[in-house]
Amino acid sequence: MLDLSAAFDTVDHSILLSRLALRFGVNGQVIAWIESYLKDREQFEQIENTKSSIRQLLRGVPQGSVLGPLLYVLYTAPIADIIKSYDLHYHLHADDSQIYVFSPSQSQHDLCLVKSKLEASVEHIDSWMVLNRLKLNQDKTELLLINSMYLLSLVLSYLQVGEEKICPSESVRNLGVHYDQHARMHVHLN
């Protein structure tokens, strides 16, 4: 489970507009409309009757809008290419991203190959994010191992990502659903 810091707030408008044009063929009036949607935005905070000063938003996509998550997903679309290049699987849901792999083999050698692929892909994603003004929060990135109850459990003690060692968690929360290492799923409705 990859955790991005302030993902929607850090989208670079010029990179987004360029990506929309070059990768997705968005141009003409449509790109001009999106540019006008993004620029000259301001925000302030209000607590009861007290307002903060107004600040211009130089980056980011509007949260709580229909278009914000779509623009974010298009901005981060190259992450899918990176993951696929390592022959891994993924789910990208706005700023919630997961990389996963199936390993039917019980050999420690195959587990080492999987570990190597995962580490390399996350390092590559981290580098891409730096270039695209995003930040992978390695402290909150999680690893969950789910083993079959019919096969021997393979042990993976950690993934090395940059300076961080990501150790397996007993359970993780993903899109409001809790998963544990025994492949049980718990849905908590709030």
Side-chain angles (χ1 to χ4, degrees), residues 41-183:
R41 288 192 162 283
E42 298 175 331
Q43 78 176 15
F44 66 90
E45 293 181 20
Q46 180 173 342
I47 300 174
E48 295 180 5
N49 293 328
T50 306
K51 290 183 183 180
S52 69
S53 58
I54 295 174
R55 294 193 176 204
Q56 186 172 12
L57 298 177
L58 302 175
R59 58 188 131 337
V61 293
Q63 295 183 44
S65 68
V66 172
L67 197 52
L70 175 62
L71 291 173
Y72 179 80
V73 166
L74 295 173
Y75 185 78
T76 59
I79 292 173
D81 299 335
I82 293 169
I83 296 168
K84 284 189 277 187
S85 75
Y86 291 92
D87 199 28
L88 300 169
H89 304 278
Y90 62 91
H91 285 281
L92 305 176
H93 304 278
D95 62 341
D96 290 312
S97 303
Q98 304 85 40
I99 301 173
Y100 61 95
V101 63
F102 305 101
S103 182
S105 169
Q106 290 191 317
S107 80
Q108 200 63 35
H109 172 73
D110 287 345
L111 184 63
C112 287
L113 290 176
V114 167
K115 180 181 191 263
S116 176
K117 279 185 184 184
L118 285 169
E119 288 173 338
S121 70
V122 175
E123 286 284 344
H124 192 162
I125 290 167
D126 190 35
S127 297
W128 180 89
M129 287 186 176
V130 168
L131 291 173
N132 287 272
R133 299 185 181 9
L134 297 172
K135 177 157 180 26
L136 179 64
N137 187 344
Q138 296 170 357
D139 291 338
K140 291 186 178 178
T141 293
E142 295 182 286
L143 171 64
L144 179 67
L145 301 174
I146 300 175
N147 292 300
S148 168
M149 67 169 130
Y150 302 106
L151 300 173
L152 291 172
S153 294
L154 295 174
V155 177
L156 178 62
S157 55
Y158 66 89
L159 288 179
Q160 184 75 41
V161 179
E163 300 297 316
E164 294 291 322
K165 285 186 177 179
I166 301 171
C167 296
S169 300
E170 288 188 23
S171 67
V172 297
R173 183 172 181 233
N174 180 35
L175 300 171
V177 177
H178 291 268
Y179 297 87
D180 68 30
Q181 63 189 3
H182 305 291

